[in-house]
Amino acid sequence: MAIEDLQTLLADDLAAVDRAIHELLDSDIPLIPLVGNYVIDSGGKRMRPMVMLAATRMFGYTGSRHHTLAAVIEFIHTATLMHDDVVDDSQQRRTKPTANAVWGAQAPVLVGDFLFARSFEAMVADGEMRVLDILSRATRDLAEGEVLQLANVHDPDVDEANYLRVVAAKTAVLFEAAGRLAAIVSGRGTDDEERMATYGHNLGVAFQLIDDCLDYSATAEAWGKQLGNDLEEGKPTLPTIHALANANKGERDAIRRALEEEGVALLDPVRAAIERTRAIEYTVEAARERVERAKQALTGLPDTAERRALAEVADFVVSREY
């Protein structure tokens, strides 16, 4: 299943989530919806909301709480993207200029704060303490992941375990929350909640692993941003970590210099080292292992078109080129 097929399957629910998103963005301050809509409508895949929507359908839920909560998850994700782009001074995302490239750094940071605030208002309005607990913890984990990633910048000695800790906190946590909330909203028991949390966590890790591969292997047109962006920002990811562990001295020196200070100027020799050490293949295989764990977690859940779609989305994550 291509991602477009899942979007078609969930079209009505996605439309309801979009309405909830724009209602939550409403403000008497015109700059807030202007900046917020610019980022939210910039072509994101809505992967995290789709996990929640597909799972609630699989469980047979017929209410509407999941629309607002899926919008909250997208809000939290969007706020972190806006803050990330300011911290990294990124100029392009999804083939468009970033909000900070258009409005400067201050507006995206403050609008991102608004998105967090509105998210917590919506959580409180939902009225279930368990929901508030899951999403507040996820937001805390996200913030910790961002700080840990910042601490790792320009450090070529970051190991795989440390890197995966960042991925778990920075990316997997919202996928996990989406799966867990789907079970809770649908009135399912602890076993189904844990299955969906395990699915979401492993899907999120795989998603980030492939993102890190694409930063070195995609075409610029498909990727929608500069290749070697992680290298330019001094971020060690699994392709460079694996390459460093298996490179010869000249290759190690190039990768270390690139991560420490020279960045994308050394993209070509770094990509050559990544290719020779088969670091992309290593990272893709790690992602495939996570996808298999995600799919295995679906065993025992209702056998519906939505469950099959969740399995196929996991396969999409490792086959995507954008």
Side-chain angles (χ1 to χ4, degrees):
M1 176 178 286
I3 197 68
E4 293 80 10
D5 296 325
L6 182 59
Q7 290 169 338
T8 299
L9 180 67
L10 300 173
D12 291 345
D13 282 327
L14 283 169
V17 171
D18 280 346
R19 288 192 295 273
I21 284 172
H22 291 102
E23 287 171 10
L24 288 171
L25 260 179
D26 186 45
S27 171
D28 292 336
I29 313 297
L31 187 61
I32 290 174
L34 180 65
V35 176
N37 281 314
Y38 177 84
V39 178
I40 287 172
D41 294 338
S42 65
K45 290 179 279 294
R46 299 281 200 269
M47 289 287 292
R48 296 153 189 82
M50 284 196 291
V51 166
M52 186 174 186
L53 297 175
T56 50
R57 278 201 184 191
M58 174 184 67
F59 289 133
Y61 177 69
T62 57
S64 60
R65 285 174 68 198
H66 61 318
H67 295 146
T68 301
L69 293 176
V72 165
I73 287 171
E74 190 69 4
F75 256 40
I76 295 170
H77 171 58
T78 302
T80 61
L81 290 185
M82 294 168 76
H83 288 170
D84 275 357
D85 286 342
V86 171
V87 169
D88 298 334
D89 194 26
S90 298
Q91 298 299 301
Q92 183 175 302
R93 181 180 288 278
R94 300 168 186 153
T95 73
K96 290 177 59 177
T98 56
N100 48 289
V102 177
W103 286 281
Q106 292 178 324
V109 168
L110 296 173
V111 173
D113 291 345
F114 176 86
L115 298 186
F116 280 129
R118 289 293 280 144
S119 295
F120 277 90
E121 281 187 304
M123 294 177 215
V124 171
D126 178 76
E128 184 170 348
M129 185 57 69
R130 184 92 173 93
V131 168
L132 182 60
D133 179 58
I134 288 166
L135 286 171
S136 60
R137 285 173 183 268
T139 305
R140 179 204 63 192
D141 289 347
L142 268 169
E144 288 182 338
E146 294 289 350
V147 175
L148 181 58
Q149 179 174 263
L150 181 64
N152 290 346
V153 166
H154 301 303
D155 182 0
D157 295 317
V158 170
D159 62 16
E160 187 169 333
N162 191 309
Y163 160 81
L164 288 173
R165 184 182 170 200
V166 171
V167 171
K170 184 173 176 289
T171 305
V173 67
L174 281 183
F175 283 96
E176 180 177 335
R180 196 178 287 280
L181 289 177
I184 291 170
V185 166
S186 303
R188 308 295 289 198
T190 302
D191 287 348
D192 285 351
E193 181 186 330
E194 291 306 319
R195 287 188 184 102
M196 284 307 307
T198 299
Y199 169 85
H201 175 83
N202 284 289
L203 183 75
V205 173
F207 188 90
Q208 186 61 55
L209 289 171
I210 297 302
D211 251 23
D212 294 343
C213 287
L214 290 172
D215 195 51
Y216 291 102
S217 62
T219 64
E221 294 78 14
W223 191 216
K225 55 185 177 181
Q226 173 185 298
L227 291 182
N229 208 47
D230 290 336
L231 197 66
E232 180 67 10
E233 294 163 6
K235 292 178 182 176
T237 59
L238 196 50
T240 52
I241 291 168
H242 180 79
L244 268 170
N246 295 276
N248 59 41
K249 184 180 185 306
E251 291 167 337
R252 284 197 302 274
D253 288 347
I255 295 169
R256 293 183 71 90
R257 280 167 36 222
L259 287 170
E260 288 173 345
E261 57 181 314
E262 296 187 45
V264 78
L266 291 177
L267 178 60
D268 287 344
V270 169
R271 288 180 75 178
I274 286 172
E275 181 176 354
R276 195 192 66 76
T277 59
R278 299 183 63 79
I280 295 296
E281 290 84 353
Y282 177 83
T283 306
V284 170
E285 184 55 33
R288 286 199 181 105
E289 290 174 5
R290 292 290 184 158
V291 161
E292 289 307 311
R293 292 188 209 177
K295 290 162 68 175
Q296 185 61 36
L298 298 174
T299 302
L301 295 174
D303 186 10
T304 66
E306 289 77 19
R307 192 187 91 172
R308 292 188 290 275
L310 287 169
E312 289 166 357
V313 162
D315 289 330
F316 162 79
V317 162
V318 291
S319 64
R320 66 195 175 97
E321 297 179 355
Y322 61 96

